[in-house]
């Protein structure tokens, strides 16, 4: 037995120097049962003990419990003569508690009863593997449980991997998509955008973001948002794959689209709003630089639409507006823009017309489609009613670039104004006549504005005479404005312009400030004289007007009945509730109110029925042919009879000739005005006329006579009774 032991020692020491030379840092020699015979110095770090402190101890003592069985099995196989170069991975614990992963290989020498071991510390590798496995597990957990679909797409654009959440996102089983082209499922309208994004992407790891509609298994499309990174070969830069995620953003996208549509469209009709109209018109006008043709801007207004709202309610009016928008869109070409411009106005921008004649044809179609009956909800179950409406259209055509939408709209508005003036239910094109008129109105507006700012307004007074004695009993006022050329503007020229430019209130205020002091001066000559002022619709509709006039009259010591307020019949019909309320306020304050130009509107008899009036002025059109047989004379006589029945003073306007004066006198007209009565004149001249009238009607001047002679009085004059006077 001793000789065997000596032989083993001999073999061990003979091989030791060569083994240390050939082996790595961790080498060992153990008995067949694993008892340590020799350890290289590197084991100190692994076991926490010097090699000599481990001699005779089993190496298995340092193996963690869960790996002990594998270590013993490994030793057993080595004792069986196997050359175990495939190695054993196990974890050992040092005396310090430090754990290390080791990979050991054994070469048995059965003759010597020894096992030669080579061991590598693989702790770093094992930790990395554990970390990688943990990372993969977490990634898999995220991939399988994320609501986003995680994907890998190869360089050919085919699905290479889809997480299980792709089922909900893409609407397909992931297996159904693998190997198929992504673009085959993208909406045709979105393919170009996807390709552009991919081709313009930088060759780096920056995130690509794109949105597109994706076709689902049921054939529907939903908006998906995808983020991805490119994976490229480090050496060649060649694209290998795109790794990314996709999510369903259909609800969010639809909500955004709804908000965008709301911000860019009319909330009632859904037509493009003014912002979009302006953009499209600008684009259409710019295209005229590159191609021939023309662009038309049509302005459409529903005739008397206010009556629909007032009589049937705004809910019916809204139905009509929606239906009108749909009809107009149906009558236009696909590239035209129909926009509700406000209230019952619509604007159509027609692009790419061949000529102005195309605009005429389009306007004719639009007028025609509005004529068709509107079937509206009567708000009664089972009931519907047909509503007949018409529309008026004005349009302007641009045949070259450089025009602006605002200019075309102004021109279309002028044409629309003419269409309405010519009877409605028609269309008119803007032409040079309207252009000249527009320039004239612009000049008139500047003249009126300048006159207001410089206080250069003159009030003229036209006498109104009582025909029984030819006495001046009143005056009608009119404004006198002189233009830059020195020509006086007529009221017809500037009143409509002032109304449109919102200058009418200022004109009315200046007139009142002039007329009331003048009236006070006139009444010092003739205490019974009255003055009439023709006020605008907006002025009469102001609730404060009656109070202002009453205060001004009182400040000048004048009775309210001294002032006459004249309203045109057209103003009463147009003015609605505020105007009617204003008339009642004036009458309550004691101010006389009457109708000027009576008989020219459609509401003559209605005005007499609803308003507490004091006088009528028959329009001059009924006086022109008075005296000759005809309807106008018959109407004049009828109005005079109506005035007597209603106890209204009737004034004949436009009595310009002696024949007309004789005729209206013969028919029983009480008062009249016109060239045959007296032309408009300044306040000074009118005052002189009153002075002259007063002198002509005053009794002869008296000279003194002896006391005791009789004295007398004349209405309005009081003479002293202390002495007698003789006639000169």
């Amino acid at each position: 037995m001793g000789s065997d032991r000596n032989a083993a020692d001999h073999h061990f020491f003979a091989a030791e120097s060569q083994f240390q030379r050939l082996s790595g840092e961790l080498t060992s020699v153990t008995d067949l049962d694993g008892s340590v015979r020799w350890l290289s110095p590197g084991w100190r770090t692994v076991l926490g003990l010097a090699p000599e402190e481990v001699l005779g101890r089993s190496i298995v003592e340092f193996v963690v419990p869960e790996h002990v069985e594998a270590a013993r099995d490994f030793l057993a196989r080595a004792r069986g003569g196997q050359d175990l170069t495939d190695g054993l991975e196990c974890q050992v614990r040092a005396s310090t508690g430090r754990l290390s992963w080791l990979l050991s290989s054994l070469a048995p020498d059965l003759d010597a009863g020894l096992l030669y071991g080579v061991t590598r510390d693989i702790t770093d590798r094992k930790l990395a593997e554990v970390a990688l496995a943990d990372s993969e597990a977490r990634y898999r957990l995220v991939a399988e449980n994320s609501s986003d679909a995680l994907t890998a797409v190869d360089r050919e654009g085919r699905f290479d991997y889809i997480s299980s959440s792709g089922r909900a996102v893409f609407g397909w089983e992931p297996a159904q998509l693998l190997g198929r082209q992504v673009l085959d499922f993208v909406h045709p309208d979105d393919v170009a955008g996807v390709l552009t994004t991919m081709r313009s992407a930088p060759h780096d790891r920056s995130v690509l973001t794109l949105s597109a509609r994706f076709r689902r298994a049921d054939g529907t499309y939903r908006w998906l948002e995808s983020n991805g990174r490119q994976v490229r070969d480090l050496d060649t830069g060649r694209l290998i794959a795109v790794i990314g995620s996709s999510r369903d953003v259909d609800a969010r996208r639809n909500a955004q689209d709804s908000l965008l549509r709301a911000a860019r469209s009319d909330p009632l009709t859904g037509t493009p709003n003014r912002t979009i109209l302006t953009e499209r018109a600008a684009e259409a006008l710019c295209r005229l630089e590159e191609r021939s043709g023309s662009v038309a801007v049509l302005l459409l207004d529903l005739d008397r639409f206010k009556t629909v709202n007032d009589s049937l309610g705004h809910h019916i009016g809204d139905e009509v507006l929606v239906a009108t928008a749909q009809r107009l869109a149906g009558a236009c070409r696909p590239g035209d823009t129909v926009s509700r411009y406000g209230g019952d106005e619509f604007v159509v921008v027609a692009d790419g017309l061949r000529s102005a004649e195309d605009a005429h044809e389009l306007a004719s179609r639009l007028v025609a489609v509005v004529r068709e009956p509107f079937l509206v909800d009567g708000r009664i179950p089972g009931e519907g009613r047909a509503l007949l409406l018409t529309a008026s259209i004005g349009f302007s055509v641009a045949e070259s670039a450089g025009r602006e939408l605002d200019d075309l709209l102004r021109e279309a508005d002028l044409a629309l104004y003419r269409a309405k003036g010519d009877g409605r239910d028609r269309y008119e094109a803007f032409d040079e006549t309207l252009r000249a008129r527009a320039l004239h109105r612009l000049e008139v507006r500047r003249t009126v504005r300048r006159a207001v700012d410089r206080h250069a307004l003159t009030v003229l007074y036209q006498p109104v005479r009582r025909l029984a004695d030819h006495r001046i009993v009143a005056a009608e006022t009119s404004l006198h404005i002189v233009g830059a050329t020195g020509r006086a503007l007529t009221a017809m020229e500037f009143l409509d312009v002032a109304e449109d430019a919102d200058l009418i209130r200022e004109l009315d205020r200046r007139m009142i400030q002039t007329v009331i002091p003048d009236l006070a001066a006139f009444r010092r000559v003739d205490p019974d004289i009255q003055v009439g002022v023709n006020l605008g619709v907006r002025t009469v509709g102001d609730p404060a007007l009656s109070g202002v006039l009453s205060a001004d009259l009182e400040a000048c010591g004048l009775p309210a009945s001294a002032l006459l307020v004249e309203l045109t019949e057209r103003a009463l019909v147009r003015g609605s509730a505020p105007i009617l309320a204003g008339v009642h306020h004036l009458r309550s304050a004691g101010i006389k109110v009457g109708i000027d130009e009576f008989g020219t509107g459609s509401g003559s008899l209605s005005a007499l029925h609803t308003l507490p009036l004091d006088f009528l002025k028959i329009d001059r059109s009924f006086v022109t042919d008075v005296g000759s047989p005809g309807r106008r004379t018959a109407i004049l006589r009828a109005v005079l009879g109506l005035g007597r029945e209603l106890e209204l003073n009737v004034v004949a306007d436009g009595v310009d000739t002696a024949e007309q004066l004789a005729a209206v006198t013969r028919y029983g007209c009480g008062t009249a005005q016109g060239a045959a009565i007296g032309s408009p004149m300044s306040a000074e001249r009118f005052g002189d006329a009153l002075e002259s009238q007063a002198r002509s009607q005053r009794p002869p001047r008296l000279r003194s006579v002896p006391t005791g002679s009789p004295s007398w009085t004349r209405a309005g004059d009081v003479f002293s009774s202390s002495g007698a006077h003789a006639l000169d």
Side-chain angles (χ1 to χ4, degrees):
M1 184 70 179
S3 61
D4 292 341
R5 180 71 177 177
N6 290 335
D9 289 341
H10 173 75
H11 282 291
F12 168 71
F13 290 116
E16 179 180 4
S17 59
Q18 183 179 5
F19 182 65
Q20 290 189 52
R21 228 176 19 253
L22 297 174
S23 66
E25 181 180 351
L26 297 179
T27 54
S28 63
V29 179
T30 65
D31 292 336
L32 295 178
D33 60 1
S35 298
V36 176
R37 298 289 300 275
W38 176 86
L39 294 177
S40 64
W43 281 94
R44 178 188 294 272
T45 303
V46 175
L47 301 179
L49 297 170
E52 55 270 20
E53 295 179 88
V54 186
L55 295 177
R57 297 173 61 177
S58 173
I59 193 68
V60 178
E61 293 180 21
F62 300 95
V63 176
V64 298
E66 54 267 32
H67 294 165
V68 167
E69 184 176 351
R72 288 176 177 167
D73 179 67
F74 192 67
L75 289 172
R77 286 189 290 131
R79 286 195 299 269
Q82 296 184 32
D83 193 1
L84 302 178
T85 57
D86 53 345
L88 167 70
E89 289 185 3
C90 67
Q91 202 170 20
V92 299
R93 186 184 301 276
S95 61
T96 59
R98 178 177 181 269
L99 292 172
S100 301
W101 277 94
L102 303 179
L103 174 62
S104 300
S105 299
L106 292 177
D109 184 349
L110 298 181
D111 293 336
L114 299 174
L115 298 175
Y116 297 95
V118 177
T119 301
R120 287 191 295 119
D121 190 331
I122 60 170
T123 301
D124 291 341
R125 192 195 79 187
K126 290 296 291 186
L127 291 177
E129 289 177 355
V130 171
L132 179 60
D134 183 59
S135 175
E136 288 178 348
R138 286 199 303 270
Y139 177 79
R140 188 174 294 107
L141 183 65
V142 170
E144 299 305 321
N145 293 279
S146 172
S147 59
D148 291 358
L150 305 182
T151 60
V153 177
D154 65 20
R155 64 184 306 273
E156 302 297 333
R158 293 185 294 262
F159 283 111
D160 194 44
Y161 167 79
I162 301 175
S163 65
S164 60
S165 52
R167 182 182 301 106
V169 174
F170 295 118
W172 298 82
E173 290 294 332
Q176 294 177 292
L177 297 177
L178 293 178
R180 301 181 68 177
Q181 286 284 342
V182 176
L183 290 180
D184 289 346
F185 297 88
V186 175
H187 193 287
D189 293 344
D190 300 336
V191 169
V194 171
L195 290 174
T196 299
T197 301
M198 294 299 297
R199 290 167 181 166
S200 62
H203 291 183
D204 57 22
R205 290 183 56 80
S206 58
V207 177
L208 304 177
T209 300
L210 55 86
S211 295
R213 285 163 289 182
F214 194 88
R215 177 168 53 83
R216 301 168 69 83
D218 60 4
T220 62
Y221 284 89
R222 293 183 70 84
W223 280 100
L224 301 184
E225 181 181 83
S226 301
N227 297 308
R229 291 182 186 274
Q230 301 175 76
V231 179
R232 292 184 175 273
D233 185 279
L234 295 178
D235 296 327
T236 65
R238 183 184 183 190
L239 179 66
I240 299 174
V242 176
I243 308 298
S245 63
S246 298
R247 65 179 57 184
D248 187 327
V249 294
D250 198 68
R252 186 187 75 191
R253 183 63 181 257
N254 288 335
Q256 291 173 343
D257 290 345
S258 297
L259 290 174
L260 184 60
R261 284 194 299 271
R264 297 166 63 88
S265 62
D266 173 59
L268 176 63
T269 62
T271 58
N273 61 14
R274 293 194 183 193
T275 300
I276 304 307
L277 175 71
T278 302
E279 291 177 2
R280 294 184 182 176
E283 293 170 358
L285 292 168
C286 283
R287 282 192 286 270
L288 291 178
E289 297 178 352
E290 306 168 356
R291 67 186 186 193
S292 60
S294 58
V295 174
V297 174
L298 300 92
L299 181 59
L300 178 146
D301 184 81
L302 293 177
D303 298 327
R304 300 185 179 91
F305 180 74
K306 185 177 182 299
T307 305
V308 176
N309 281 334
D310 291 345
S311 59
L312 301 180
H314 286 275
H315 61 285
I316 298 297
D318 289 348
E319 288 185 31
V320 171
L321 292 174
V322 172
T324 300
Q326 294 170 347
R327 291 185 184 185
L328 297 181
C332 291
R333 302 165 308 157
D336 297 339
T337 299
V338 177
S339 171
R340 182 184 175 216
Y341 204 60
D344 60 334
E345 282 189 335
F346 291 84
V347 172
V348 176
V349 174
D351 184 17
L353 300 177
R354 293 168 300 177
S355 64
E357 186 59 34
D358 288 347
H360 284 266
E361 293 177 5
L362 176 59
S364 179
R365 288 201 306 273
L366 298 182
V367 169
V369 297
V370 176
R371 289 194 192 113
E372 298 172 9
F374 289 87
L375 297 178
V376 296
D377 182 5
R379 299 302 181 200
I380 300 174
E383 179 188 348
R385 65 184 78 174
L387 182 65
L388 299 179
L389 285 176
T390 59
S392 299
I393 295 177
F395 69 86
S396 181
V397 177
E399 296 181 331
S400 59
R403 302 298 305 280
E404 297 288 339
L405 175 63
D406 287 345
D407 296 334
L408 295 170
L409 281 173
R410 278 193 292 270
E411 294 172 356
D413 189 46
L414 289 172
L416 173 63
Y417 185 82
R418 183 164 67 182
K420 284 187 171 292
D422 289 347
R424 300 182 173 89
D425 188 23
R426 56 186 291 115
Y427 69 87
E428 289 287 344
F430 180 81
D431 54 23
E432 289 305 317
T433 301
L434 285 176
R435 187 183 303 279
R437 179 187 171 194
L439 293 174
H440 176 66
R441 287 175 65 88
L442 183 61
E443 180 58 33
V444 169
R445 177 175 177 174
R446 281 198 292 261
T447 299
V448 173
R449 179 78 266 177
R450 185 166 53 245
V452 169
D453 293 341
R454 298 179 181 179
H455 300 274
L457 301 172
T458 303
V459 178
L460 299 182
Y461 297 85
Q462 182 171 31
V464 178
R465 291 186 184 271
R466 188 167 54 214
L467 298 183
D469 56 6
H470 297 285
R471 177 184 174 83
I472 298 174
V473 293
E476 180 182 2
T477 59
S478 60
L479 277 176
H480 184 75
I481 299 177
V482 178
T485 62
R487 184 182 69 85
L489 302 178
T490 66
M492 291 294 292
E493 284 182 289
F494 69 78
L495 286 180
D496 281 347
V497 175
E499 191 84 46
D500 292 342
D502 203 20
L503 290 170
I504 195 68
R505 291 188 185 183
E506 184 67 16
L507 290 178
D508 288 345
R509 186 174 69 85
R510 296 291 174 83
M511 174 177 277
I512 291 169
Q513 290 174 343
T514 301
V515 167
I516 291 181
D518 285 351
L519 176 56
F522 299 155
R523 287 181 73 92
R524 285 194 288 272
V525 179
D526 184 346
D528 298 321
I529 199 72
Q530 295 173 304
V531 171
V533 292
N534 202 318
L535 300 180
V537 172
R538 297 178 185 177
T539 302
V540 176
D542 187 346
L545 175 64
S546 60
V548 171
L549 292 180
S550 297
D552 290 347
L553 290 166
E554 184 178 356
C556 290
L558 296 172
S561 60
L563 186 66
L564 310 175
V565 172
E566 301 178 12
L567 289 169
T568 64
E569 183 186 356
R570 289 190 295 270
L572 288 173
V573 172
R574 238 171 59 207
S576 71
I579 304 304
L580 303 183
V583 171
H584 283 283
H585 290 323
L586 292 171
R587 290 284 285 109
S588 298
I591 297 171
K592 304 294 184 182
V593 180
I595 299 180
D596 193 10
E597 301 177 4
F598 184 80
T600 58
S602 60
S604 302
L605 297 179
S606 175
L608 295 178
H609 174 71
T610 58
L611 294 175
L613 300 172
D614 298 289
F615 62 90
L616 305 175
K617 282 192 175 181
I618 303 174
D619 187 70
R620 61 175 50 249
S621 62
F622 297 102
V623 178
T624 302
D625 299 326
V626 69
S628 58
R631 292 187 176 184
R632 291 185 184 275
T633 299
I635 292 173
L636 173 63
R637 297 177 67 176
V639 171
L640 291 171
L642 183 62
R644 285 191 293 271
E645 289 294 325
L646 297 177
E647 298 181 350
L648 299 174
N649 183 33
V650 179
V651 183
D653 193 7
V655 179
D656 298 332
T657 67
E659 291 79 8
Q660 292 170 347
L661 177 59
V664 297
T665 303
R666 184 168 63 253
Y667 295 145
C669 185
T671 50
Q673 67 184 68
I677 305 296
S679 300
M681 59 189 71
S682 66
E684 291 75 16
R685 286 188 58 200
F686 186 76
D688 292 343
L690 292 179
E691 287 280 3
S692 177
Q693 175 175 272
R695 286 195 301 270
S696 67
Q697 296 181 353
R698 192 175 295 155
R701 189 165 54 86
L702 304 177
R703 56 183 173 81
S704 298
V705 296
T707 303
S709 298
S711 63
W712 62 281
T713 62
R714 183 177 69 82
D717 293 333
V718 178
F719 298 91
S720 173
S721 60
S722 59
H725 298 78
L727 293 174
D728 281 338

